[in-house]
Amino acid sequence: TSDRSQTSNTSSAAAASARPPLKIHSTAIVSERAVLTGSHPITIGERAVIHPFAHLRAEGGSVTISEYCTVDETAVVGLPAGESGDILLEKAVAVHSGAVVMGSRVGEGSEIGVKACIGKGAVVGQYATVAAAEAVEDRGEVGDFEVVFGGGRRRVDGLSKGSEDWRELRITSQRKMCKALESLVPDGGMKWRG
């Protein structure tokens, strides 16, 4: 029996460390020290930046990181084994250090703060902000332009809702951040693309 459990544990460890199917845009930066796991596809878009020690988990479903997204150190995006569902970060989303995103979608131009947690199946709208250390419950919803802050309180960000110029500025700012990170985060190159 111990031989059988040893084989099972070894197989589980091998499956967890197996490289998932990857589709990485040639301009994306994926640190050699990033962690990409699972058996479902991971897609990383144009000029996206995946920092060292960021973890993309495709164990429970596919993970799509769209163009101009950033996933910072120790942030986790995706579902563990035993859970199921796909994860989509739309264009120009920032996921900061230590945040956990298990929600099904984070809308364009949104920001997930340091150590914030987006629960399983939750949806975050466009240009929304989940502040540092805040949580969105499983299957919860954060509306477009909404800010979650201060122990779960919510408000609508009138500036982003009312100004197309401001929304374009937010996207432009995220693009510039990605451009600046090109020289700061070494690309893992052939580790991920080879």
Side-chain angles (χ1 to χ4, degrees):
T1 314
S2 64
D3 289 336
R4 190 173 294 153
S5 66
Q6 177 92 17
T7 303
S8 176
N9 289 340
T10 304
S11 298
S12 297
S17 64
R19 183 171 142 171
L22 299 173
K23 182 179 178 187
I24 301 173
H25 193 278
S26 63
T27 62
I29 302 291
V30 181
S31 170
E32 183 175 289
R33 293 179 178 248
V35 180
L36 283 62
T37 60
S39 58
H40 297 276
I42 294 177
T43 302
I44 301 172
E46 176 184 355
R47 302 220 182 272
V49 179
I50 311 301
H51 284 257
F53 309 109
H55 188 173
L56 304 183
R57 299 181 79 165
E59 292 145 23
S62 68
V63 174
T64 301
I65 310 294
S66 299
E67 65 269 22
Y68 299 106
C69 287
T70 53
V71 180
D72 292 353
E73 293 86 350
T74 69
V76 178
V77 176
L79 292 168
E83 301 290 338
S84 64
D86 297 331
I87 310 287
L88 169 62
L89 302 186
E90 293 181 353
K91 180 171 93 176
V93 167
V95 178
H96 294 294
S97 296
V100 176
V101 177
M102 295 182 289
S104 59
R105 182 175 59 83
V106 178
E108 176 179 311
S110 291
E111 186 169 1
I112 309 302
V114 172
K115 295 191 176 183
C117 181
I118 309 302
K120 294 175 226 155
V123 175
V124 176
Q126 295 185 343
Y127 302 97
T129 301
V130 178
E134 290 296 320
V136 177
E137 64 279 354
D138 290 354
R139 291 170 294 292
E141 188 170 328
V142 176
D144 292 348
F145 314 109
E146 198 166 26
V147 179
V148 179
F149 69 103
R153 293 184 301 178
R154 294 176 182 229
R155 68 176 179 81
V156 171
D157 181 348
L159 181 61
S160 63
K161 184 175 183 178
S163 173
E164 180 71 34
D165 290 341
W166 186 92
R167 293 190 297 273
E168 185 53 42
L169 184 60
R170 191 160 179 177
I171 298 295
T172 299
S173 173
Q174 185 68 11
R175 284 181 184 147
K176 287 182 179 183
M177 174 61 77
C178 291
K179 179 69 176 162
L181 289 170
E182 286 178 10
S183 61
L184 298 173
V185 177
D187 186 28
M190 292 312 294
K191 176 179 180 179
W192 303 117
R193 292 178 181 91

